[in-house]
Amino acid sequence: EMAVLYLDVCGFTQRPSSTFAEQERVLIFLQVFMAEMMSIINDHGGTFEKNTGDGLMAYFGTDARSNQQSIRDALECALLMVYVAETYINPWLKREALPAVQFRIGIDFGDVTVARIGFKGTSSFVAIGCAANIANRLMGLIPDGGIAVGDRVYRSMPSGWAGTASTLPAVPGYVYIATGAPYFAWRINYRLTGVPVR
């Protein structure tokens, strides 16, 4: 069981990239933003799986930590990503006359199989399972950016954080097998001023 985190840059395909100069500006942005996001994942004990150009995927819980700790690590990682982008990266981008970054994060928790796929000498890891699929779909519920989590993550959040969440539509196509109830999703309000975390 692992927490899976997806990150996707909003409006990336609308960034001008026809000329070499425009492509160079996009690459500068990606190098600064993605390198920092990968570093934050690493600092929180996450395993970075893949980069899709304007997005990335990581998972938390490949070691012996508890399920609760894996979820907390993924949430803290997401909160720090937003903070760093707003406090450091966007001001730097503005000084460099580059567009600010807006992005969305989806996090879910559940059974995941990680396997190496490819052929001799060329392969990469891939995560398979409902949690990975749901984490990806959660981003579709917040097209304007932010952090969305699945029901299993929400139910394991510290009470100080869960109190800042607002409901989203249920995740399309997913229900609890035992009850047939929809799988709910939540938007996390990451401005947690004055809320004690236990």
PDB file of all heavy atoms in Angstrom, residues 85-119:
ATOM      1  N   ALA A  85       6.459  27.087  -4.735  1.00  0.00           N
ATOM      2  CA  ALA A  85       6.105  27.707  -6.015  1.00  0.00           C
ATOM      3  C   ALA A  85       5.617  29.137  -5.807  1.00  0.00           C
ATOM      4  O   ALA A  85       6.028  30.059  -6.533  1.00  0.00           O
ATOM      5  CB  ALA A  85       5.041  26.876  -6.727  1.00  0.00           C
ATOM      6  N   GLU A  86       4.748  29.343  -4.829  1.00  0.00           N
ATOM      7  CA  GLU A  86       4.185  30.675  -4.603  1.00  0.00           C
ATOM      8  C   GLU A  86       5.196  31.648  -4.001  1.00  0.00           C
ATOM      9  O   GLU A  86       5.194  32.836  -4.334  1.00  0.00           O
ATOM     10  CB  GLU A  86       2.967  30.583  -3.683  1.00  0.00           C
ATOM     11  CG  GLU A  86       1.778  29.911  -4.326  1.00  0.00           C
ATOM     12  CD  GLU A  86       0.547  29.934  -3.435  1.00  0.00           C
ATOM     13  OE1 GLU A  86       0.669  30.302  -2.245  1.00  0.00           O
ATOM     14  OE2 GLU A  86      -0.534  29.570  -3.933  1.00  0.00           O
ATOM     15  N   THR A  87       6.068  31.158  -3.127  1.00  0.00           N
ATOM     16  CA  THR A  87       6.968  32.030  -2.382  1.00  0.00           C
ATOM     17  C   THR A  87       8.285  32.293  -3.099  1.00  0.00           C
ATOM     18  O   THR A  87       8.842  33.397  -2.983  1.00  0.00           O
ATOM     19  CB  THR A  87       7.257  31.415  -0.992  1.00  0.00           C
ATOM     20  OG1 THR A  87       6.005  31.123  -0.358  1.00  0.00           O
ATOM     21  CG2 THR A  87       8.053  32.359  -0.119  1.00  0.00           C
ATOM     22  N   TYR A  88       8.782  31.310  -3.850  1.00  0.00           N
ATOM     23  CA  TYR A  88      10.107  31.449  -4.454  1.00  0.00           C
ATOM     24  C   TYR A  88      10.104  31.360  -5.980  1.00  0.00           C
ATOM     25  O   TYR A  88      10.694  32.198  -6.666  1.00  0.00           O
ATOM     26  CB  TYR A  88      11.062  30.384  -3.877  1.00  0.00           C
ATOM     27  CG  TYR A  88      11.247  30.521  -2.396  1.00  0.00           C
ATOM     28  CD1 TYR A  88      10.618  29.642  -1.524  1.00  0.00           C
ATOM     29  CD2 TYR A  88      12.026  31.541  -1.856  1.00  0.00           C
ATOM     30  CE1 TYR A  88      10.768  29.770  -0.152  1.00  0.00           C
ATOM     31  CE2 TYR A  88      12.178  31.681  -0.485  1.00  0.00           C
ATOM     32  CZ  TYR A  88      11.539  30.792   0.366  1.00  0.00           C
ATOM     33  OH  TYR A  88      11.680  30.925   1.716  1.00  0.00           O
ATOM     34  N   ILE A  89       9.453  30.336  -6.525  1.00  0.00           N
ATOM     35  CA  ILE A  89       9.554  30.119  -7.969  1.00  0.00           C
ATOM     36  C   ILE A  89       8.810  31.190  -8.759  1.00  0.00           C
ATOM     37  O   ILE A  89       9.367  31.769  -9.699  1.00  0.00           O
ATOM     38  CB  ILE A  89       9.070  28.700  -8.345  1.00  0.00           C
ATOM     39  CG1 ILE A  89       9.997  27.652  -7.719  1.00  0.00           C
ATOM     40  CG2 ILE A  89       9.019  28.536  -9.860  1.00  0.00           C
ATOM     41  CD1 ILE A  89       9.573  26.221  -7.921  1.00  0.00           C
ATOM     42  N   ASN A  90       7.558  31.479  -8.403  1.00  0.00           N
ATOM     43  CA  ASN A  90       6.806  32.481  -9.166  1.00  0.00           C
ATOM     44  C   ASN A  90       7.428  33.870  -9.095  1.00  0.00           C
ATOM     45  O   ASN A  90       7.489  34.562 -10.121  1.00  0.00           O
ATOM     46  CB  ASN A  90       5.338  32.490  -8.753  1.00  0.00           C
ATOM     47  CG  ASN A  90       4.551  31.392  -9.449  1.00  0.00           C
ATOM     48  OD1 ASN A  90       4.962  30.876 -10.494  1.00  0.00           O
ATOM     49  ND2 ASN A  90       3.424  31.011  -8.882  1.00  0.00           N
ATOM     50  N   PRO A  91       7.922  34.334  -7.943  1.00  0.00           N
ATOM     51  CA  PRO A  91       8.627  35.622  -7.946  1.00  0.00           C
ATOM     52  C   PRO A  91       9.865  35.614  -8.846  1.00  0.00           C
ATOM     53  O   PRO A  91      10.150  36.600  -9.530  1.00  0.00           O
ATOM     54  CB  PRO A  91       9.009  35.833  -6.472  1.00  0.00           C
ATOM     55  CG  PRO A  91       7.955  35.081  -5.722  1.00  0.00           C
ATOM     56  CD  PRO A  91       7.666  33.872  -6.572  1.00  0.00           C
ATOM     57  N   TRP A  92      10.596  34.486  -8.869  1.00  0.00           N
ATOM     58  CA  TRP A  92      11.755  34.391  -9.745  1.00  0.00           C
ATOM     59  C   TRP A  92      11.333  34.420 -11.213  1.00  0.00           C
ATOM     60  O   TRP A  92      11.945  35.112 -12.030  1.00  0.00           O
ATOM     61  CB  TRP A  92      12.541  33.109  -9.447  1.00  0.00           C
ATOM     62  CG  TRP A  92      13.770  32.983 -10.299  1.00  0.00           C
ATOM     63  CD1 TRP A  92      14.999  33.512 -10.050  1.00  0.00           C
ATOM     64  CD2 TRP A  92      13.866  32.302 -11.554  1.00  0.00           C
ATOM     65  NE1 TRP A  92      15.864  33.200 -11.072  1.00  0.00           N
ATOM     66  CE2 TRP A  92      15.197  32.465 -12.015  1.00  0.00           C
ATOM     67  CE3 TRP A  92      12.976  31.579 -12.336  1.00  0.00           C
ATOM     68  CZ2 TRP A  92      15.652  31.912 -13.209  1.00  0.00           C
ATOM     69  CZ3 TRP A  92      13.422  31.035 -13.531  1.00  0.00           C
ATOM     70  CH2 TRP A  92      14.735  31.201 -13.967  1.00  0.00           C
ATOM     71  N   LEU A  93      10.286  33.675 -11.548  1.00  0.00           N
ATOM     72  CA  LEU A  93       9.794  33.672 -12.925  1.00  0.00           C
ATOM     73  C   LEU A  93       9.374  35.076 -13.354  1.00  0.00           C
ATOM     74  O   LEU A  93       9.636  35.500 -14.488  1.00  0.00           O
ATOM     75  CB  LEU A  93       8.613  32.704 -13.063  1.00  0.00           C
ATOM     76  CG  LEU A  93       8.942  31.205 -12.954  1.00  0.00           C
ATOM     77  CD1 LEU A  93       7.661  30.381 -12.852  1.00  0.00           C
ATOM     78  CD2 LEU A  93       9.795  30.740 -14.120  1.00  0.00           C
ATOM     79  N   LYS A  94       8.731  35.801 -12.458  1.00  0.00           N
ATOM     80  CA  LYS A  94       8.312  37.172 -12.766  1.00  0.00           C
ATOM     81  C   LYS A  94       9.519  38.055 -13.060  1.00  0.00           C
ATOM     82  O   LYS A  94       9.506  38.834 -14.027  1.00  0.00           O
ATOM     83  CB  LYS A  94       7.502  37.748 -11.600  1.00  0.00           C
ATOM     84  CG  LYS A  94       6.933  39.117 -11.878  1.00  0.00           C
ATOM     85  CD  LYS A  94       6.067  39.602 -10.725  1.00  0.00           C
ATOM     86  CE  LYS A  94       5.494  40.977 -11.035  1.00  0.00           C
ATOM     87  NZ  LYS A  94       4.651  41.470  -9.917  1.00  0.00           N
ATOM     88  N   ARG A  95      10.569  37.933 -12.258  1.00  0.00           N
ATOM     89  CA  ARG A  95      11.787  38.722 -12.495  1.00  0.00           C
ATOM     90  C   ARG A  95      12.431  38.382 -13.829  1.00  0.00           C
ATOM     91  O   ARG A  95      13.062  39.224 -14.464  1.00  0.00           O
ATOM     92  CB  ARG A  95      12.796  38.502 -11.362  1.00  0.00           C
ATOM     93  CG  ARG A  95      12.403  39.149 -10.053  1.00  0.00           C
ATOM     94  CD  ARG A  95      13.556  39.176  -9.066  1.00  0.00           C
ATOM     95  NE  ARG A  95      14.067  37.849  -8.751  1.00  0.00           N
ATOM     96  CZ  ARG A  95      13.606  37.082  -7.769  1.00  0.00           C
ATOM     97  NH1 ARG A  95      12.589  37.501  -7.014  1.00  0.00           N
ATOM     98  NH2 ARG A  95      14.138  35.900  -7.530  1.00  0.00           N
ATOM     99  N   GLU A  96      12.266  37.135 -14.260  1.00  0.00           N
ATOM    100  CA  GLU A  96      12.837  36.697 -15.541  1.00  0.00           C
ATOM    101  C   GLU A  96      11.873  36.907 -16.711  1.00  0.00           C
ATOM    102  O   GLU A  96      12.130  36.435 -17.816  1.00  0.00           O
ATOM    103  CB  GLU A  96      13.220  35.214 -15.461  1.00  0.00           C
ATOM    104  CG  GLU A  96      14.289  34.903 -14.429  1.00  0.00           C
ATOM    105  CD  GLU A  96      15.624  35.540 -14.760  1.00  0.00           C
ATOM    106  OE1 GLU A  96      16.027  35.497 -15.936  1.00  0.00           O
ATOM    107  OE2 GLU A  96      16.254  36.098 -13.832  1.00  0.00           O
ATOM    108  N   ALA A  97      10.755  37.597 -16.452  1.00  0.00           N
ATOM    109  CA  ALA A  97       9.730  37.866 -17.470  1.00  0.00           C
ATOM    110  C   ALA A  97       9.150  36.575 -18.050  1.00  0.00           C
ATOM    111  O   ALA A  97       8.833  36.498 -19.242  1.00  0.00           O
ATOM    112  CB  ALA A  97      10.278  38.757 -18.584  1.00  0.00           C
ATOM    113  N   LEU A  98       9.006  35.563 -17.199  1.00  0.00           N
ATOM    114  CA  LEU A  98       8.403  34.292 -17.588  1.00  0.00           C
ATOM    115  C   LEU A  98       7.047  34.159 -16.897  1.00  0.00           C
ATOM    116  O   LEU A  98       6.847  34.697 -15.804  1.00  0.00           O
ATOM    117  CB  LEU A  98       9.305  33.119 -17.182  1.00  0.00           C
ATOM    118  CG  LEU A  98      10.630  33.007 -17.934  1.00  0.00           C
ATOM    119  CD1 LEU A  98      11.566  32.038 -17.234  1.00  0.00           C
ATOM    120  CD2 LEU A  98      10.390  32.555 -19.364  1.00  0.00           C
ATOM    121  N   PRO A  99       6.098  33.460 -17.525  1.00  0.00           N
ATOM    122  CA  PRO A  99       4.771  33.307 -16.901  1.00  0.00           C
ATOM    123  C   PRO A  99       4.855  32.545 -15.575  1.00  0.00           C
ATOM    124  O   PRO A  99       5.670  31.636 -15.422  1.00  0.00           O
ATOM    125  CB  PRO A  99       3.973  32.496 -17.933  1.00  0.00           C
ATOM    126  CG  PRO A  99       4.759  32.561 -19.199  1.00  0.00           C
ATOM    127  CD  PRO A  99       6.177  32.805 -18.833  1.00  0.00           C
ATOM    128  N   ALA A 100       4.005  32.925 -14.644  1.00  0.00           N
ATOM    129  CA  ALA A 100       3.932  32.218 -13.364  1.00  0.00           C
ATOM    130  C   ALA A 100       3.445  30.790 -13.588  1.00  0.00           C
ATOM    131  O   ALA A 100       2.761  30.494 -14.572  1.00  0.00           O
ATOM    132  CB  ALA A 100       2.984  32.955 -12.419  1.00  0.00           C
ATOM    133  N   VAL A 101       3.803  29.916 -12.682  1.00  0.00           N
ATOM    134  CA  VAL A 101       3.378  28.518 -12.782  1.00  0.00           C
ATOM    135  C   VAL A 101       2.145  28.300 -11.913  1.00  0.00           C
ATOM    136  O   VAL A 101       2.055  28.783 -10.792  1.00  0.00           O
ATOM    137  CB  VAL A 101       4.517  27.548 -12.373  1.00  0.00           C
ATOM    138  CG1 VAL A 101       4.922  27.746 -10.923  1.00  0.00           C
ATOM    139  CG2 VAL A 101       4.104  26.107 -12.610  1.00  0.00           C
ATOM    140  N   GLN A 102       1.187  27.607 -12.481  1.00  0.00           N
ATOM    141  CA  GLN A 102       0.001  27.158 -11.758  1.00  0.00           C
ATOM    142  C   GLN A 102      -0.096  25.658 -12.012  1.00  0.00           C
ATOM    143  O   GLN A 102       0.065  25.208 -13.154  1.00  0.00           O
ATOM    144  CB  GLN A 102      -1.239  27.876 -12.279  1.00  0.00           C
ATOM    145  CG  GLN A 102      -2.487  27.597 -11.485  1.00  0.00           C
ATOM    146  CD  GLN A 102      -3.675  28.416 -11.980  1.00  0.00           C
ATOM    147  OE1 GLN A 102      -3.576  29.175 -12.946  1.00  0.00           O
ATOM    148  NE2 GLN A 102      -4.811  28.249 -11.331  1.00  0.00           N
ATOM    149  N   PHE A 103      -0.342  24.883 -10.971  1.00  0.00           N
ATOM    150  CA  PHE A 103      -0.338  23.433 -11.155  1.00  0.00           C
ATOM    151  C   PHE A 103      -1.353  22.778 -10.235  1.00  0.00           C
ATOM    152  O   PHE A 103      -1.892  23.392  -9.315  1.00  0.00           O
ATOM    153  CB  PHE A 103       1.061  22.843 -10.933  1.00  0.00           C
ATOM    154  CG  PHE A 103       1.653  23.133  -9.579  1.00  0.00           C
ATOM    155  CD1 PHE A 103       1.582  22.211  -8.556  1.00  0.00           C
ATOM    156  CD2 PHE A 103       2.303  24.335  -9.344  1.00  0.00           C
ATOM    157  CE1 PHE A 103       2.134  22.469  -7.319  1.00  0.00           C
ATOM    158  CE2 PHE A 103       2.862  24.604  -8.101  1.00  0.00           C
ATOM    159  CZ  PHE A 103       2.780  23.677  -7.087  1.00  0.00           C
ATOM    160  N   ARG A 104      -1.629  21.523 -10.523  1.00  0.00           N
ATOM    161  CA  ARG A 104      -2.585  20.748  -9.736  1.00  0.00           C
ATOM    162  C   ARG A 104      -1.918  19.447  -9.311  1.00  0.00           C
ATOM    163  O   ARG A 104      -1.057  18.912 -10.023  1.00  0.00           O
ATOM    164  CB  ARG A 104      -3.856  20.490 -10.541  1.00  0.00           C
ATOM    165  CG  ARG A 104      -3.596  19.900 -11.905  1.00  0.00           C
ATOM    166  CD  ARG A 104      -4.787  20.041 -12.816  1.00  0.00           C
ATOM    167  NE  ARG A 104      -4.482  19.448 -14.124  1.00  0.00           N
ATOM    168  CZ  ARG A 104      -5.379  19.062 -14.984  1.00  0.00           C
ATOM    169  NH1 ARG A 104      -6.663  19.186 -14.712  1.00  0.00           N
ATOM    170  NH2 ARG A 104      -5.039  18.556 -16.142  1.00  0.00           N
ATOM    171  N   ILE A 105      -2.339  18.970  -8.143  1.00  0.00           N
ATOM    172  CA  ILE A 105      -1.778  17.749  -7.565  1.00  0.00           C
ATOM    173  C   ILE A 105      -2.931  16.835  -7.169  1.00  0.00           C
ATOM    174  O   ILE A 105      -3.903  17.280  -6.565  1.00  0.00           O
ATOM    175  CB  ILE A 105      -0.914  18.064  -6.328  1.00  0.00           C
ATOM    176  CG1 ILE A 105       0.321  18.877  -6.733  1.00  0.00           C
ATOM    177  CG2 ILE A 105      -0.500  16.780  -5.613  1.00  0.00           C
ATOM    178  CD1 ILE A 105       1.138  19.376  -5.562  1.00  0.00           C
ATOM    179  N   GLY A 106      -2.822  15.560  -7.514  1.00  0.00           N
ATOM    180  CA  GLY A 106      -3.769  14.541  -7.081  1.00  0.00           C
ATOM    181  C   GLY A 106      -3.043  13.502  -6.245  1.00  0.00           C
ATOM    182  O   GLY A 106      -1.958  13.052  -6.629  1.00  0.00           O
ATOM    183  N   ILE A 107      -3.627  13.135  -5.096  1.00  0.00           N
ATOM    184  CA  ILE A 107      -3.013  12.130  -4.211  1.00  0.00           C
ATOM    185  C   ILE A 107      -4.061  11.102  -3.815  1.00  0.00           C
ATOM    186  O   ILE A 107      -5.160  11.466  -3.384  1.00  0.00           O
ATOM    187  CB  ILE A 107      -2.442  12.759  -2.923  1.00  0.00           C
ATOM    188  CG1 ILE A 107      -1.449  13.885  -3.245  1.00  0.00           C
ATOM    189  CG2 ILE A 107      -1.766  11.687  -2.055  1.00  0.00           C
ATOM    190  CD1 ILE A 107      -1.023  14.678  -2.015  1.00  0.00           C
ATOM    191  N   ASP A 108      -3.721   9.832  -3.960  1.00  0.00           N
ATOM    192  CA  ASP A 108      -4.583   8.772  -3.442  1.00  0.00           C
ATOM    193  C   ASP A 108      -3.706   7.713  -2.785  1.00  0.00           C
ATOM    194  O   ASP A 108      -2.475   7.718  -2.933  1.00  0.00           O
ATOM    195  CB  ASP A 108      -5.444   8.159  -4.540  1.00  0.00           C
ATOM    196  CG  ASP A 108      -6.634   7.386  -3.963  1.00  0.00           C
ATOM    197  OD1 ASP A 108      -7.277   7.910  -3.021  1.00  0.00           O
ATOM    198  OD2 ASP A 108      -6.909   6.268  -4.414  1.00  0.00           O
ATOM    199  N   PHE A 109      -4.361   6.796  -2.066  1.00  0.00           N
ATOM    200  CA  PHE A 109      -3.650   5.764  -1.316  1.00  0.00           C
ATOM    201  C   PHE A 109      -4.307   4.415  -1.554  1.00  0.00           C
ATOM    202  O   PHE A 109      -5.535   4.315  -1.588  1.00  0.00           O
ATOM    203  CB  PHE A 109      -3.680   6.090   0.185  1.00  0.00           C
ATOM    204  CG  PHE A 109      -2.966   5.074   1.021  1.00  0.00           C
ATOM    205  CD1 PHE A 109      -1.597   5.147   1.182  1.00  0.00           C
ATOM    206  CD2 PHE A 109      -3.663   4.044   1.627  1.00  0.00           C
ATOM    207  CE1 PHE A 109      -0.930   4.203   1.948  1.00  0.00           C
ATOM    208  CE2 PHE A 109      -3.002   3.097   2.396  1.00  0.00           C
ATOM    209  CZ  PHE A 109      -1.632   3.178   2.553  1.00  0.00           C
ATOM    210  N   GLY A 110      -3.496   3.384  -1.720  1.00  0.00           N
ATOM    211  CA  GLY A 110      -4.038   2.041  -1.886  1.00  0.00           C
ATOM    212  C   GLY A 110      -2.984   1.064  -2.345  1.00  0.00           C
ATOM    213  O   GLY A 110      -1.787   1.370  -2.375  1.00  0.00           O
ATOM    214  N   ASP A 111      -3.447  -0.133  -2.727  1.00  0.00           N
ATOM    215  CA  ASP A 111      -2.537  -1.172  -3.206  1.00  0.00           C
ATOM    216  C   ASP A 111      -1.974  -0.787  -4.563  1.00  0.00           C
ATOM    217  O   ASP A 111      -2.720  -0.461  -5.490  1.00  0.00           O
ATOM    218  CB  ASP A 111      -3.276  -2.509  -3.334  1.00  0.00           C
ATOM    219  CG  ASP A 111      -3.667  -3.080  -1.988  1.00  0.00           C
ATOM    220  OD1 ASP A 111      -2.866  -2.940  -1.042  1.00  0.00           O
ATOM    221  OD2 ASP A 111      -4.757  -3.656  -1.874  1.00  0.00           O
ATOM    222  N   VAL A 112      -0.646  -0.830  -4.665  1.00  0.00           N
ATOM    223  CA  VAL A 112       0.043  -0.474  -5.909  1.00  0.00           C
ATOM    224  C   VAL A 112       1.130  -1.510  -6.160  1.00  0.00           C
ATOM    225  O   VAL A 112       1.843  -1.912  -5.243  1.00  0.00           O
ATOM    226  CB  VAL A 112       0.678   0.941  -5.816  1.00  0.00           C
ATOM    227  CG1 VAL A 112       1.463   1.269  -7.072  1.00  0.00           C
ATOM    228  CG2 VAL A 112      -0.381   2.000  -5.562  1.00  0.00           C
ATOM    229  N   THR A 113       1.240  -1.950  -7.406  1.00  0.00           N
ATOM    230  CA  THR A 113       2.348  -2.809  -7.810  1.00  0.00           C
ATOM    231  C   THR A 113       3.315  -1.978  -8.627  1.00  0.00           C
ATOM    232  O   THR A 113       2.920  -1.306  -9.586  1.00  0.00           O
ATOM    233  CB  THR A 113       1.848  -3.994  -8.660  1.00  0.00           C
ATOM    234  OG1 THR A 113       0.953  -4.780  -7.875  1.00  0.00           O
ATOM    235  CG2 THR A 113       3.005  -4.859  -9.128  1.00  0.00           C
ATOM    236  N   VAL A 114       4.578  -2.003  -8.230  1.00  0.00           N
ATOM    237  CA  VAL A 114       5.623  -1.294  -8.960  1.00  0.00           C
ATOM    238  C   VAL A 114       6.466  -2.333  -9.679  1.00  0.00           C
ATOM    239  O   VAL A 114       6.954  -3.287  -9.067  1.00  0.00           O
ATOM    240  CB  VAL A 114       6.491  -0.442  -8.016  1.00  0.00           C
ATOM    241  CG1 VAL A 114       7.596   0.264  -8.797  1.00  0.00           C
ATOM    242  CG2 VAL A 114       5.632   0.574  -7.272  1.00  0.00           C
ATOM    243  N   ALA A 115       6.606  -2.165 -10.982  1.00  0.00           N
ATOM    244  CA  ALA A 115       7.357  -3.143 -11.779  1.00  0.00           C
ATOM    245  C   ALA A 115       8.266  -2.418 -12.760  1.00  0.00           C
ATOM    246  O   ALA A 115       8.041  -1.257 -13.111  1.00  0.00           O
ATOM    247  CB  ALA A 115       6.395  -4.054 -12.542  1.00  0.00           C
ATOM    248  N   ARG A 116       9.300  -3.127 -13.196  1.00  0.00           N
ATOM    249  CA  ARG A 116      10.200  -2.594 -14.211  1.00  0.00           C
ATOM    250  C   ARG A 116       9.710  -3.080 -15.571  1.00  0.00           C
ATOM    251  O   ARG A 116       9.522  -4.275 -15.785  1.00  0.00           O
ATOM    252  CB  ARG A 116      11.632  -3.047 -13.955  1.00  0.00           C
ATOM    253  CG  ARG A 116      12.652  -2.417 -14.887  1.00  0.00           C
ATOM    254  CD  ARG A 116      14.076  -2.828 -14.542  1.00  0.00           C
ATOM    255  NE  ARG A 116      14.560  -2.207 -13.337  1.00  0.00           N
ATOM    256  CZ  ARG A 116      15.050  -0.975 -13.264  1.00  0.00           C
ATOM    257  NH1 ARG A 116      15.083  -0.226 -14.346  1.00  0.00           N
ATOM    258  NH2 ARG A 116      15.507  -0.492 -12.129  1.00  0.00           N
ATOM    259  N   ILE A 117       9.494  -2.139 -16.495  1.00  0.00           N
ATOM    260  CA  ILE A 117       8.977  -2.446 -17.828  1.00  0.00           C
ATOM    261  C   ILE A 117       9.998  -2.013 -18.870  1.00  0.00           C
ATOM    262  O   ILE A 117      10.590  -0.943 -18.764  1.00  0.00           O
ATOM    263  CB  ILE A 117       7.650  -1.695 -18.085  1.00  0.00           C
ATOM    264  CG1 ILE A 117       6.605  -2.030 -17.015  1.00  0.00           C
ATOM    265  CG2 ILE A 117       7.109  -1.981 -19.477  1.00  0.00           C
ATOM    266  CD1 ILE A 117       6.163  -3.457 -17.012  1.00  0.00           C
ATOM    267  N   GLY A 118      10.177  -2.825 -19.888  1.00  0.00           N
ATOM    268  CA  GLY A 118      11.086  -2.449 -20.970  1.00  0.00           C
ATOM    269  C   GLY A 118      11.781  -3.665 -21.541  1.00  0.00           C
ATOM    270  O   GLY A 118      11.286  -4.787 -21.447  1.00  0.00           O
ATOM    271  N   PHE A 119      12.941  -3.416 -22.124  1.00  0.00           N
ATOM    272  CA  PHE A 119      13.723  -4.518 -22.683  1.00  0.00           C
ATOM    273  C   PHE A 119      15.154  -4.384 -22.195  1.00  0.00           C
ATOM    274  O   PHE A 119      15.513  -3.392 -21.535  1.00  0.00           O
ATOM    275  CB  PHE A 119      13.648  -4.535 -24.220  1.00  0.00           C
ATOM    276  CG  PHE A 119      14.112  -3.257 -24.868  1.00  0.00           C
ATOM    277  CD1 PHE A 119      15.423  -3.102 -25.280  1.00  0.00           C
ATOM    278  CD2 PHE A 119      13.215  -2.203 -25.081  1.00  0.00           C
ATOM    279  CE1 PHE A 119      15.851  -1.937 -25.880  1.00  0.00           C
ATOM    280  CE2 PHE A 119      13.633  -1.030 -25.683  1.00  0.00           C
ATOM    281  CZ  PHE A 119      14.953  -0.897 -26.076  1.00  0.00           C
TER     282      PHE A 119
END
